Amino acid sequence: MLKANPSAILVLLDLVCFGTNEVAQKVLISLKIFLRIAEDIRVCDLLRSQFLQILQQLLVENNSSISQVSQNVPLLLNLLFLVQLRYATERELDNTDFRLLRLVINLCGKCRPTDSEILQPSLNFLYWSLQQTIPSSQQIVVVLLLSNKSLIELLEKVLHCTWMATSFSEPVFSSSIESLICSSWLLIASLLIQQNIYNTEVHHTISLDVDKVFNAVAYRKKSILFFVSILQFLRAFFKQNLCSSFVKFTVQSTDEQEKELPQSKENISLFPLAMWHVLSLVARLQNLLVQKDFLLSQTVIGCLEILLEYLHLKNQSTACHIASHPWNKFLLITLLDGNENSFLNSEILRLVSLFMKYQDIRTISEIEISHILEEAAHTNLLELSNDTVSALRLFLLQLQKIKYQVDSSKKAVIQTLLENLPPINRHQWSHQGIVYLGNDQSAEKRYWEKEAMLQRDSLVGVKSCCGEWLIEAAGF
């Protein structure tokens, strides 16, 4: 009925915005289900225009205070984000998109860190707007976001809430606030990358205490995505060699630390880090890796890869020291034990390739390399996942570069495997790196769990579900 009658959709949208909360919640679930199965993208265009009118009306009427905004605005923002998800490919943003973007940015700028019901869907909307568009539109989005000083200051305050979350073993605030913290880290990470690409002017620099950031990734009873979001930020920042006009690390050393750890050559070369920062971060990343969660493992290894690149650039001996640490061998054994002693696992292959890249023959033996090659040679490569195919190709290419003594038979096996590896299925990775966070109502959660089974590899199929957190097509 809705498909054949667009005006009925607009009536339902009015109920979401201006009806009672109970009615709005029920209508919202119905509209979400309809949008997930609707094939006609013109419905989304119709809704975007209507969203613009409604948001303008609501915000103009309540311009003085965010507390006076309708209680149904969070529901409207949730629906707006779902409409945004329906656009399957990167597209050029139009005038309606930019006007909506300005409205949501200004709305966020008026919020406090505790206004999670409004901020959560808003940050999801901003994050997707930044990620899923063509470069010319993306550059404008970056300018709009960075030029709003109130928004950036708000994000900085939310990031600082992370230290409160990691100061106690038990949660000190609701999961909605933790969700907001995660979204803020992800948005800042994306902005950090794009600001560097387009060299966008910055109106406020975010300052973060390096000790507090690294301490935040120490394993505690937090959600997986809590760690994933912070690691995504660290990965982005290390990729820029910790040098950015948008974000800076601050160091607050005590007098005792300065006396015990004078400015050595290593500390000077690693500035703004010191050697103890590096060692503590690596230890925490290793602890997260043995938790054996796929999403977390992929993110941790991605962070380790960029960290070692950074260290190799700053101080090669430090990078080699980290790669050759005896704990790495135990780490591999632990991961193998959890994977039925099979090396054909994306995390294990990426980790092995990482150690090999820095030519550490103590962590990876020739026997283990032979075992990997033999296992790969007897495996149906077409049955491997995208992640494993990519990791295996990386391993084989790395093997060709290093100084191991490889006999002619192994060289032939390596070349044959490289030639026979299947191409990456781009459909599965159409939204690599896109993460959507948010609290979920129980009825909708059951729907998502059902959808996850039916369309695990589709555009909006759920890749992982941790408590009340949902991930949309995540890949690292």
Side-chain angles (χ1 to χ4, degrees):
M1 183 185 76
L2 289 178
K3 185 176 180 180
N5 190 0
S7 60
I9 299 175
L10 298 182
V11 171
L12 290 177
L13 185 59
D14 282 340
L15 287 175
V16 172
C17 301
F18 304 109
T20 64
N21 189 259
E22 182 180 357
V23 170
Q25 289 279 5
K26 292 178 180 179
V27 174
L28 178 67
I29 292 175
S30 299
L31 281 174
K32 283 185 174 183
I33 293 174
F34 168 72
L35 284 171
R36 289 192 182 106
I37 62 177
E39 297 177 356
D40 192 350
I41 205 70
R42 288 175 297 181
V43 172
C44 296
D45 294 332
L46 175 67
L47 286 173
R48 285 190 304 119
S49 299
Q50 192 69 12
F51 280 136
L52 181 60
Q53 295 179 28
I54 294 171
L55 277 175
Q56 283 177 326
Q57 178 184 342
L58 290 173
L59 296 180
V60 168
E61 290 176 354
N62 303 282
N63 191 44
S64 58
S65 173
I66 196 70
S67 61
Q68 297 176 7
V69 172
S70 168
Q71 62 179 350
N72 290 350
V73 166
L75 303 180
L76 179 67
L77 292 168
N78 270 299
L79 196 56
L80 173 61
F81 175 63
L82 188 60
V83 168
Q84 199 179 30
L85 285 178
R86 290 294 292 116
Y87 294 97
T89 58
E90 293 180 353
R91 65 186 183 91
E92 183 177 7
L93 301 185
D94 58 23
N95 184 53
T96 301
D97 290 307
F98 287 122
R99 292 173 70 185
L100 278 169
L101 193 62
R102 288 189 182 93
L103 282 174
V104 175
I105 289 173
N106 290 332
L107 178 63
C108 290
K110 297 176 182 178
C111 290
R112 299 164 299 173
T114 52
D115 295 322
S116 58
E117 287 191 352
I118 289 177
L119 285 174
Q120 184 63 71
S122 297
L123 295 190
N124 283 335
F125 174 80
L126 298 180
Y127 181 69
W128 190 272
S129 299
L130 188 61
Q131 294 284 79
Q132 282 304 109
T133 184
I134 62 174
S136 59
S137 295
Q138 187 178 62
Q139 186 171 7
I140 299 173
V141 175
V142 175
V143 171
L144 289 174
L145 289 169
L146 291 178
S147 62
N148 193 299
K149 187 178 178 182
S150 298
L151 170 66
I152 303 303
E153 288 177 341
L154 169 78
L155 290 172
E156 184 176 26
K157 291 176 183 177
V158 175
L159 295 186
H160 288 173
C161 291
T162 308
W163 326 143
M164 187 186 303
T166 57
S167 299
F168 304 91
S169 58
E170 297 298 326
V172 294
F173 41 54
S174 66
S175 60
S176 61
I177 299 296
E178 187 172 309
S179 173
L180 188 61
I181 291 172
C182 295
S183 293
S184 299
W185 281 111
L186 289 169
L187 182 57
I188 291 298
S190 185
L191 268 175
L192 186 60
I193 295 169
Q194 305 308 330
Q195 187 274 331
N196 181 63
I197 291 173
Y198 301 114
N199 195 26
T200 311
E201 182 182 359
V202 171
H203 297 269
H204 178 75
T205 300
I206 293 177
S207 297
L208 299 171
D209 187 314
V210 63
D211 291 294
K212 291 181 178 179
V213 174
F214 287 1
N215 186 55
V217 295
Y219 184 72
R220 296 179 179 86
K221 292 181 180 179
K222 303 295 178 185
S223 70
I224 293 300
L225 293 182
F226 180 84
F227 299 110
V228 167
S229 58
I230 300 174
L231 293 178
Q232 282 294 91
F233 162 78
L234 286 175
R235 187 169 179 264
F237 204 15
F238 276 122
K239 202 158 190 173
Q240 294 183 32
N241 298 322
L242 304 185
C243 182
S244 170
S245 59
F246 178 46
V247 178
K248 69 175 181 179
F249 269 161
T250 59
V251 182
Q252 298 179 359
S253 299
T254 63
D255 293 338
E256 289 76 10
Q257 283 178 322
E258 291 176 354
K259 290 177 182 178
E260 294 175 6
L261 297 166
Q263 287 296 311
S264 63
K265 290 182 179 180
E266 288 82 2
N267 287 345
I268 293 172
S269 64
L270 295 173
F271 185 83
L273 303 183
M275 192 61 184
W276 74 82
H277 288 132
V278 174
L279 294 175
S280 67
L281 177 59
V282 170
R284 285 159 181 166
L285 292 176
Q286 291 171 333
N287 286 336
L288 291 177
L289 198 55
V290 297
Q291 303 308 315
K292 300 177 183 178
D293 176 89
F294 176 76
L295 177 63
L296 182 59
S297 296
Q298 294 291 321
T299 314
V300 168
I301 294 173
C303 191
L304 275 171
E305 289 169 343
I306 301 300
L307 172 61
L308 281 172
E309 282 184 19
Y310 168 82
L311 294 176
H312 192 259
L313 176 68
K314 294 287 186 177
N315 190 308
Q316 292 186 16
S317 62
T318 301
C320 292
H321 171 73
I322 297 299
S324 62
H325 197 282
W327 179 259
N328 293 331
K329 190 71 173 182
F330 174 74
L331 191 62
L332 275 176
I333 293 171
T334 303
L335 293 175
L336 280 168
D337 182 60
N339 197 48
E340 299 179 351
N341 291 320
S342 171
F343 279 94
L344 292 188
N345 172 280
S346 59
E347 300 102 291
I348 293 173
L349 287 170
R350 286 176 68 185
L351 204 58
V352 168
S353 301
L354 183 61
F355 297 146
M356 285 167 45
K357 183 177 180 179
Y358 297 96
Q359 299 177 353
D360 177 46
I361 59 174
R362 286 166 289 183
T363 302
I364 309 300
S365 68
E366 290 188 31
I367 294 175
E368 288 165 327
I369 289 176
S370 298
H371 186 84
I372 296 173
L373 292 175
E374 183 180 353
E375 186 178 352
H378 290 86
T379 297
N380 184 350
L381 300 178
L382 295 175
E383 294 180 354
L384 298 178
S385 67
N386 268 345
D387 297 308
T388 305
V389 169
S390 179
L392 181 56
R393 181 178 284 108
L394 176 67
F395 165 76
L396 295 171
L397 292 174
Q398 192 63 52
L399 197 55
Q400 290 181 331
K401 295 178 183 178
I402 62 174
K403 297 178 181 179
Y404 281 113
Q405 296 297 322
V406 180
D407 58 39
S408 57
S409 62
K410 286 189 177 67
K411 288 181 180 179
V413 172
I414 293 170
Q415 189 59 40
T416 301
L417 286 170
L418 282 171
E419 292 172 357
N420 293 335
L421 278 176
I424 297 298
N425 184 343
R426 295 296 174 186
H427 174 71
Q428 290 186 19
W429 282 6
S430 58
H431 292 288
Q432 186 176 15
I434 299 292
V435 178
Y436 157 53
L437 305 176
N439 291 324
D440 201 29
Q441 301 300 322
S442 58
E444 190 185 356
K445 183 176 179 180
R446 287 194 295 272
Y447 173 85
W448 275 107
E449 289 171 345
K450 180 180 178 182
E451 286 295 289
M453 297 173 65
L454 295 176
Q455 49 177 24
R456 193 171 301 276
D457 292 320
S458 65
L459 170 63
V460 290
V462 179
K463 290 287 186 180
S464 176
C465 186
C466 310
E468 293 185 332
W469 304 83
L470 291 178
I471 308 168
E472 300 277 1
F476 297 92

